[in-house]
């Protein structure tokens, strides 16, 4: 299997460290052949809301320009892809599609972080501690996948960051999400961005073994993603290598490649 990572953030999201070039250098050092940047997308809100975890719309041109320059500079050493991690916000998706076309973005990861818009709804990762939020998570995940915009569902088990225990409701929504992903041939990301944190704090959030058993059972395809928020994450092989063993043990289909947009 080729070593690839399509889930990389930059300092523009305000909660990541390392310059764009440091991420590239660390990825080369870590033996990656493909490095996809997928920083949190900006949104052009209809209100004066300002999110604290994403770049502003006017930072998008600089993001693309910087990554294009690095793609050229390191061509032959590593294959750099330019994408974004986006929610499914029906009201704003038209604007996003225009940006994707204008900047000829290679791909869009589906980060199902909020229902409909973060102006009104809280972060699924912190607030999915009841069945209503679980249902919204499912609805948003399925609607987003059906939109056709996304090449991969990032951290599909994100709800387990706040839901107390994987119960029968979790099993039900997981089955629906996985079944949709399999039907639409959308890979699910085996996200290891929190493994180090979980270990340090004695937590188990995601990857959630119960979710992944369902995913394997439904015939889904998995892709390992680092969700790198620190360039040094790309240099440490510990969690990546462990994830390779874990997906192997699940007997789930695994891919190292996401399909890119064509223009
Ligand atoms: Zn995310
Ligand atoms: Zn991310």
């Amino acid at each position: 299997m080729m070593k690839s990572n399509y889930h990389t953030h930059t300092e523009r999201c305000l909660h990541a460290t390392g310059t764009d070039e440091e991420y590239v250098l660390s990825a080369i050092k870590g033996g990656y052949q493909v490095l996809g940047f997928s920083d949190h997308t900006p949104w052009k809100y209809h209100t004066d809301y300002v999110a604290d975890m994403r770049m502003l719309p006017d930072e998008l041109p600089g993001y693309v320009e910087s990554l294009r320059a690095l793609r050229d500079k390191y061509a032959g050493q590593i294959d750099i892809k330019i994408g974004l991690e986006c929610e499914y916000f029906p009201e704003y998706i038209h604007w996003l599609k225009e940006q994707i076309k204008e900047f000829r973005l290679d791909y869009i990861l589906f980060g199902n972080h909020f229902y409909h818009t973060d102006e009104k709804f809280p972060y699924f990762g912190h607030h999915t501690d009841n069945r209503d939020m679980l249902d919204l998570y499912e609805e948003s995940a399925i609607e987003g996948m059906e939109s056709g915009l996304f090449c991969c569902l990032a951290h599909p088990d994100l709800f387990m960051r706040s839901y107390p225990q994987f119960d029968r409701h979790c099993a039900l929504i997981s089955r629906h999400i996985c079944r949709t992903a399999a039907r639409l041939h959308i890979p699910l990301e085996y996200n290891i961005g929190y493994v180090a944190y979980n270990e340090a704090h004695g937590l188990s959030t995601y990857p959630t073994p119960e979710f992944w058993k369902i995913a394997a059972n439904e015939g889904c395809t998995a892709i390992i993603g680092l969700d790198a928020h620190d360039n040094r994450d790309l240099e440490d092989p510990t969690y990546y290598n462990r994830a390779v063993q874990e997906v192997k043990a699940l007997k789930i289909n695994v891919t190292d490649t996401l399909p890119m947009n064509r223009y």
Side-chain angles (χ1 to χ4, degrees):
M1 204 168 70
M2 178 175 70
K3 205 168 173 187
S4 62
N5 174 48
Y6 290 87
H7 198 156
T8 312
H9 290 277
T10 78
E11 285 178 335
R12 295 168 191 79
C13 72
L14 309 169
H15 57 277
T17 26
T19 64
D20 298 348
E21 188 157 20
E22 283 171 331
Y23 279 96
V24 175
L25 292 170
S26 292
I28 293 169
K29 215 172 176 182
Y32 287 88
Q33 284 152 275
V34 178
L35 178 66
F37 282 90
S38 52
D39 206 359
H40 291 290
T41 192
W43 289 104
K44 201 169 161 66
Y45 298 109
H46 296 155
T47 64
D48 56 6
Y49 179 74
V50 181
D52 62 3
M53 46 67 76
R54 50 176 94 253
M55 68 179 90
L56 294 167
D58 62 14
E59 289 176 276
L60 187 55
Y63 168 73
V64 175
E65 200 181 313
S66 163
L67 300 181
R68 279 183 185 158
L70 291 169
R71 183 171 60 189
D72 293 346
K73 184 171 175 183
Y74 293 98
Q77 292 183 68
I78 191 163
D79 185 6
I80 293 177
K81 307 289 189 195
I82 306 173
L84 285 171
E85 180 180 17
C86 303
E87 294 82 6
Y88 178 65
F89 291 170
E91 195 182 350
Y92 297 132
I93 214 79
H94 181 74
W95 177 83
L96 179 64
K97 282 183 182 169
E98 282 174 0
Q99 309 311 304
I100 295 169
K101 239 193 252 168
E102 183 177 342
F103 294 104
R104 302 169 74 86
L105 297 181
D106 292 319
Y107 70 106
I108 305 295
L109 285 188
F110 183 13
N112 185 29
H113 304 124
F114 303 93
Y115 182 77
H116 280 189
T117 169
D118 51 351
E119 294 155 291
K120 295 179 200 154
F121 285 90
Y123 177 43
F124 280 131
H126 290 159
H127 298 275
T128 310
D129 53 4
N130 60 75
R131 245 188 110 176
D132 287 343
M133 283 294 281
L134 212 52
D135 288 344
L136 291 182
Y137 183 85
E138 176 197 340
E139 186 184 320
S140 174
I142 292 178
E143 275 185 26
M145 282 191 280
E146 286 181 336
S147 74
L149 191 67
F150 304 104
C151 67
C152 172
L153 175 57
H155 44 61
D157 39 359
L158 175 69
F159 56 89
M160 285 310 293
R161 239 186 106 179
S162 46
Y163 204 79
Q165 236 169 26
F166 197 91
D167 61 16
R168 65 196 177 88
H169 306 299
C170 295
L172 190 73
I173 70 144
S174 298
R175 198 162 287 284
H176 293 163
I177 290 168
C178 291
R179 206 164 279 176
T180 304
R183 171 169 58 83
L184 298 172
H185 305 288
I186 296 176
L188 301 176
E189 182 200 33
Y190 196 84
N191 184 302
I192 56 170
Y194 261 92
V195 176
Y197 181 89
N198 286 346
E199 244 181 21
H201 295 84
L203 299 170
S204 58
T205 56
Y206 59 80
T208 309
E210 295 94 330
F211 175 93
W212 285 97
K213 270 175 215 147
I214 293 170
N217 192 260
E218 291 292 333
C220 292
T221 297
I223 182 159
I224 295 168
L226 263 59
D227 208 348
H229 283 82
D230 185 324
N231 62 288
R232 287 163 298 185
D233 296 345
L234 290 151
E235 295 180 24
D236 180 357
T238 317
Y239 302 111
Y240 179 90
N241 290 344
R242 193 192 293 173
V244 170
Q245 295 310 315
E246 286 169 354
V247 292
K248 203 179 275 178
L250 281 163
K251 296 190 168 58
I252 192 169
N253 312 313
V254 183
T255 185
D256 54 18
T257 307
L258 292 179
M260 297 292 108
N261 294 334
R262 292 184 189 282
Y263 294 94

